[in-house]
Short mmCIF file of all heavy atoms in Angstrom, two decimals:
data_model
loop_
_atom_site.label_atom_id
_atom_site.label_comp_id
_atom_site.label_asym_id
_atom_site.label_seq_id
_atom_site.Cartn_x
_atom_site.Cartn_y
_atom_site.Cartn_z
N SER Q 35 3.59 9.86 4.75
CA SER Q 35 2.56 9.00 5.38
C SER Q 35 2.76 7.52 5.02
O SER Q 35 2.43 6.64 5.81
CB SER Q 35 1.17 9.51 5.08
OG SER Q 35 0.83 9.21 3.76
N ILE Q 55 12.07 -2.42 16.20
CA ILE Q 55 12.31 -2.36 14.79
C ILE Q 55 13.50 -1.46 14.52
O ILE Q 55 13.50 -0.29 14.93
CB ILE Q 55 11.08 -1.82 14.00
CG1 ILE Q 55 9.89 -2.77 14.20
CG2 ILE Q 55 11.41 -1.67 12.51
CD1 ILE Q 55 8.60 -2.32 13.50
N ASN Q 64 18.28 9.06 3.62
CA ASN Q 64 18.08 10.52 3.64
C ASN Q 64 17.71 10.94 5.08
O ASN Q 64 16.95 10.27 5.74
CB ASN Q 64 16.94 10.89 2.67
CG ASN Q 64 16.76 12.38 2.60
OD1 ASN Q 64 16.20 12.98 3.55
ND2 ASN Q 64 17.23 13.00 1.55
N ILE Q 74 9.01 8.20 15.32
CA ILE Q 74 7.95 7.25 15.70
C ILE Q 74 8.57 5.99 16.33
O ILE Q 74 7.94 4.96 16.40
CB ILE Q 74 6.99 6.92 14.55
CG1 ILE Q 74 7.74 6.44 13.33
CG2 ILE Q 74 6.14 8.13 14.19
CD1 ILE Q 74 6.83 5.99 12.15
N VAL Q 104 30.16 -7.68 7.24
CA VAL Q 104 31.28 -8.62 7.38
C VAL Q 104 32.64 -7.96 7.53
O VAL Q 104 33.62 -8.61 7.83
CB VAL Q 104 31.37 -9.63 6.17
CG1 VAL Q 104 30.13 -10.51 6.13
CG2 VAL Q 104 31.57 -8.88 4.86
N LYS Q 106 33.77 -4.87 9.32
CA LYS Q 106 33.90 -3.70 10.21
C LYS Q 106 35.37 -3.41 10.52
O LYS Q 106 36.13 -4.24 10.95
CB LYS Q 106 33.19 -3.98 11.57
CG LYS Q 106 31.69 -4.31 11.38
CD LYS Q 106 31.08 -4.75 12.71
CE LYS Q 106 29.69 -5.29 12.57
NZ LYS Q 106 29.64 -6.71 12.14
N ALA Q 112 35.58 1.08 17.14
CA ALA Q 112 35.86 2.04 18.25
C ALA Q 112 34.78 3.14 18.31
O ALA Q 112 34.29 3.48 19.39
CB ALA Q 112 37.24 2.63 18.07
N PHE Q 171 27.94 -14.42 4.36
CA PHE Q 171 27.37 -13.90 5.63
C PHE Q 171 27.23 -14.95 6.70
O PHE Q 171 26.94 -16.11 6.47
CB PHE Q 171 25.99 -13.30 5.34
CG PHE Q 171 26.06 -12.17 4.33
CD1 PHE Q 171 25.67 -12.37 3.00
CD2 PHE Q 171 26.53 -10.93 4.72
CE1 PHE Q 171 25.76 -11.36 2.10
CE2 PHE Q 171 26.60 -9.89 3.80
CZ PHE Q 171 26.19 -10.09 2.49
N LEU Q 204 11.86 -10.99 0.07
CA LEU Q 204 11.11 -12.23 0.18
C LEU Q 204 9.62 -11.91 0.21
O LEU Q 204 9.15 -11.17 1.06
CB LEU Q 204 11.48 -12.95 1.50
CG LEU Q 204 12.73 -13.79 1.50
CD1 LEU Q 204 13.98 -12.93 1.40
CD2 LEU Q 204 12.78 -14.64 2.75
N THR Q 208 6.99 -18.37 3.95
CA THR Q 208 7.55 -19.70 4.22
C THR Q 208 9.06 -19.72 4.53
O THR Q 208 9.45 -20.37 5.49
CB THR Q 208 7.16 -20.65 3.09
OG1 THR Q 208 5.77 -20.74 3.08
CG2 THR Q 208 7.75 -22.03 3.26
N PHE Q 233 16.70 -11.86 20.18
CA PHE Q 233 16.84 -12.63 18.95
C PHE Q 233 16.44 -11.71 17.81
O PHE Q 233 15.30 -11.27 17.75
CB PHE Q 233 16.00 -13.88 19.02
CG PHE Q 233 16.02 -14.75 17.76
CD1 PHE Q 233 17.11 -14.80 16.91
CD2 PHE Q 233 14.89 -15.50 17.41
CE1 PHE Q 233 17.11 -15.59 15.77
CE2 PHE Q 233 14.86 -16.28 16.27
CZ PHE Q 233 15.99 -16.34 15.44
N GLY Q 236 16.18 -10.38 11.57
CA GLY Q 236 16.66 -9.73 10.34
C GLY Q 236 15.57 -8.97 9.61
O GLY Q 236 14.49 -8.67 10.18
N ASN Q 244 5.36 -5.43 -8.87
CA ASN Q 244 4.53 -5.57 -10.06
C ASN Q 244 3.11 -5.99 -9.68
O ASN Q 244 2.86 -7.18 -9.52
CB ASN Q 244 5.16 -6.60 -10.98
CG ASN Q 244 4.45 -6.68 -12.30
OD1 ASN Q 244 3.38 -6.13 -12.47
ND2 ASN Q 244 5.03 -7.40 -13.27
N ALA Q 246 0.56 -6.34 -11.34
CA ALA Q 246 -0.10 -7.24 -12.28
C ALA Q 246 0.11 -8.68 -11.89
O ALA Q 246 -0.76 -9.52 -12.06
CB ALA Q 246 0.48 -7.00 -13.69
N LEU Q 247 1.27 -8.97 -11.30
CA LEU Q 247 1.55 -10.33 -10.84
C LEU Q 247 0.71 -10.72 -9.64
O LEU Q 247 0.21 -11.79 -9.52
CB LEU Q 247 3.04 -10.47 -10.45
CG LEU Q 247 4.05 -10.51 -11.57
CD1 LEU Q 247 5.45 -10.72 -10.97
CD2 LEU Q 247 3.73 -11.64 -12.53
N ALA Q 248 0.55 -9.73 -8.74
CA ALA Q 248 -0.16 -10.03 -7.50
C ALA Q 248 -1.65 -10.01 -7.63
O ALA Q 248 -2.35 -10.70 -6.90
CB ALA Q 248 0.30 -9.04 -6.42
N ASP Q 262 0.39 -17.50 0.90
CA ASP Q 262 1.71 -17.36 1.50
C ASP Q 262 2.27 -15.93 1.36
O ASP Q 262 3.32 -15.63 1.86
CB ASP Q 262 2.64 -18.35 0.80
CG ASP Q 262 3.87 -18.65 1.65
OD1 ASP Q 262 3.76 -18.55 2.90
OD2 ASP Q 262 4.92 -19.01 1.08
N LEU Q 264 3.45 -12.33 1.69
CA LEU Q 264 3.86 -11.66 2.94
C LEU Q 264 3.18 -10.33 3.13
O LEU Q 264 3.24 -9.45 2.27
CB LEU Q 264 5.40 -11.48 2.91
CG LEU Q 264 6.04 -11.00 4.20
CD1 LEU Q 264 7.41 -11.58 4.35
CD2 LEU Q 264 6.07 -9.50 4.28
N GLY Q 294 10.50 1.13 0.43
CA GLY Q 294 10.37 0.78 -0.97
C GLY Q 294 9.21 1.45 -1.71
O GLY Q 294 9.41 2.17 -2.70
N LEU Q 299 10.64 7.67 -8.66
CA LEU Q 299 11.60 8.48 -9.40
C LEU Q 299 10.89 9.03 -10.63
O LEU Q 299 10.35 8.26 -11.45
CB LEU Q 299 12.81 7.64 -9.82
CG LEU Q 299 13.84 8.32 -10.72
CD1 LEU Q 299 14.44 9.51 -10.07
CD2 LEU Q 299 14.92 7.32 -11.15
N THR Q 301 10.84 11.16 -14.14
CA THR Q 301 11.75 11.42 -15.21
C THR Q 301 11.00 12.02 -16.39
O THR Q 301 9.82 11.84 -16.56
CB THR Q 301 12.49 10.11 -15.61
OG1 THR Q 301 13.51 10.41 -16.54
CG2 THR Q 301 11.57 9.08 -16.20
N ILE Q 325 19.76 2.09 -10.16
CA ILE Q 325 20.55 1.03 -10.77
C ILE Q 325 19.85 -0.32 -10.71
O ILE Q 325 20.29 -1.31 -11.33
CB ILE Q 325 21.93 0.92 -10.13
CG1 ILE Q 325 22.94 0.28 -11.09
CG2 ILE Q 325 21.91 0.23 -8.76
CD1 ILE Q 325 24.37 0.32 -10.61
N GLY Q 359 22.96 -1.79 -20.62
CA GLY Q 359 22.30 -2.06 -19.35
C GLY Q 359 21.47 -0.88 -18.86
O GLY Q 359 20.69 -1.04 -17.93
N MET Q 379 8.66 6.23 -12.09
CA MET Q 379 9.02 4.84 -11.82
C MET Q 379 8.67 4.61 -10.37
O MET Q 379 9.15 5.26 -9.47
CB MET Q 379 10.51 4.63 -12.02
CG MET Q 379 10.91 5.07 -13.42
SD MET Q 379 12.47 4.46 -13.88
CE MET Q 379 12.90 5.68 -15.12
N TYR Q 385 16.80 1.38 -1.99
CA TYR Q 385 17.93 1.01 -2.88
C TYR Q 385 17.83 1.77 -4.21
O TYR Q 385 18.20 1.26 -5.25
CB TYR Q 385 17.95 -0.53 -3.09
CG TYR Q 385 17.99 -1.26 -1.78
CD1 TYR Q 385 16.87 -1.92 -1.27
CD2 TYR Q 385 19.13 -1.24 -0.99
CE1 TYR Q 385 16.91 -2.56 -0.03
CE2 TYR Q 385 19.16 -1.86 0.27
CZ TYR Q 385 18.04 -2.51 0.74
OH TYR Q 385 18.08 -3.14 1.94
N SER Q 387 17.91 6.05 -4.61
CA SER Q 387 18.83 7.19 -4.48
C SER Q 387 20.13 6.78 -3.76
O SER Q 387 21.21 7.24 -4.14
CB SER Q 387 18.12 8.28 -3.69
OG SER Q 387 19.03 9.17 -3.16
N MET Q 389 21.86 4.19 -3.91
CA MET Q 389 22.81 3.49 -4.79
C MET Q 389 23.18 4.31 -6.01
O MET Q 389 23.80 3.82 -6.96
CB MET Q 389 22.16 2.16 -5.26
CG MET Q 389 22.09 1.12 -4.17
SD MET Q 389 21.38 -0.42 -4.78
CE MET Q 389 22.71 -1.56 -4.51
N ARG Q 396 27.07 12.81 -14.38
CA ARG Q 396 25.67 13.19 -14.18
C ARG Q 396 25.44 13.50 -12.69
O ARG Q 396 25.73 12.65 -11.85
CB ARG Q 396 24.76 12.00 -14.60
CG ARG Q 396 24.78 11.73 -16.14
CD ARG Q 396 24.05 10.43 -16.45
NE ARG Q 396 22.76 10.37 -15.79
CZ ARG Q 396 21.65 10.88 -16.31
NH1 ARG Q 396 21.64 11.44 -17.51
NH2 ARG Q 396 20.50 10.78 -15.65
N VAL Q 411 12.22 20.17 -0.30
CA VAL Q 411 13.41 19.52 -0.85
C VAL Q 411 14.19 18.96 0.33
O VAL Q 411 14.51 19.70 1.27
CB VAL Q 411 14.27 20.54 -1.62
CG1 VAL Q 411 15.59 19.89 -2.04
CG2 VAL Q 411 13.51 21.03 -2.84
#
Side-chain angles (χ1 to χ4, degrees):
S35 73
I55 299 179
N64 183 286
I74 53 176
V104 296
K106 302 174 190 81
F171 300 103
L204 277 71
T208 298
F233 176 30
N244 187 351
L247 286 183
D262 200 27
L264 188 147
L299 174 61
T301 187
I325 203 173
M379 306 196 204
Y385 307 105
S387 162
M389 288 181 118
R396 291 170 49 86
V411 174

